[in-house]
Amino acid sequence: MIAKFIVAISAFYHILATVAAMMAVFQFARILRGEESHHPLWRHIFGWAEAHLWISGLMLLAVGIYITGLEEYLANPKLWTKVSLVTLWAANSLCIKKTLRSASHGQRNLMFGTSIACLFYGTFLGVAKPLPYGVLPFSYFVAGFVLTIALGTYGVSRLLNPMRLA
């Protein structure tokens, strides 16, 4: 019973960190659009959110293994989609930090689109409780993730276009 309570608290903690990361990404978009000047607070919020997503994600992983057992937990294709997503998100975040200022418009769109897609799809996977353990194969989860990246990149390309005067 206490393990399930820890899952609930960890999931809430994970959602708070996700919301902070999403807020920071959209704030970066506003800065890139010229709607707001650079503000270091958002860089700190994004760094805080990343750290707390890792901490809360590891907490969820540990409690999930404790509750279901290692072998059953590792048999979940949703878990491996999350692992793929987090790996891509970490690499993408590193690219954003290292190349944001020098990146082309298309590269920025892809980086921000990927970041937003990782946050949205990761949130979807977190709340998609009816889908573990063979309901859908790994390839379907990955296809959904790729589609989310495409939609996220398209949305960001629309969002980062300079505002047109009416």
Side-chain angles (χ1 to χ4, degrees):
M1 181 168 123
I2 195 148
K4 290 190 178 194
F5 179 72
I6 292 171
V7 168
I9 295 298
S10 298
F12 183 67
Y13 174 31
H14 203 64
I15 288 169
L16 290 176
T18 301
V19 169
M22 285 183 190
M23 287 173 34
V25 168
F26 283 112
Q27 186 62 27
F28 290 146
R30 289 182 49 123
I31 291 167
L32 288 172
R33 285 176 55 117
E35 295 174 359
E36 195 165 312
S37 64
H38 174 73
H39 199 285
L41 172 66
W42 290 104
R43 187 167 297 279
H44 292 297
I45 289 173
F46 190 69
W48 172 89
E50 281 185 316
H52 289 275
L53 278 168
W54 280 104
I55 293 166
S56 59
L58 290 172
M59 288 170 59
L60 288 165
L61 184 71
V63 176
I65 290 170
Y66 174 78
I67 290 172
T68 62
L70 182 62
E71 192 172 318
E72 183 180 347
Y73 198 77
L74 294 179
N76 185 354
K78 216 170 72 164
L79 168 70
W80 295 107
T81 306
K82 289 179 191 178
V83 169
S84 302
L85 180 149
V86 168
T87 302
L88 178 61
W89 179 68
N92 186 62
S93 291
L94 187 63
C95 285
I96 287 173
K97 290 174 185 173
K98 295 217 180 273
T99 66
L100 181 61
R101 298 228 184 264
S102 63
S104 71
H105 189 68
Q107 290 169 328
R108 274 188 242 161
N109 289 346
L110 181 60
M111 287 188 292
F112 278 106
T114 300
S115 188
I116 288 170
C118 287
L119 292 166
F120 283 164
Y121 202 69
T123 301
F124 164 73
L125 291 174
V127 300
K129 299 299 181 203
L131 297 181
Y133 308 108
V135 174
L136 291 175
F138 177 71
S139 60
Y140 282 48
F141 284 115
V142 171
F145 182 41
V146 170
L147 178 62
T148 305
I149 291 171
L151 291 172
T153 302
Y154 173 75
V156 165
S157 71
R158 304 286 295 168
L159 180 71
L160 290 182
N161 279 339
M163 294 177 66
R164 295 189 180 112
L165 298 174

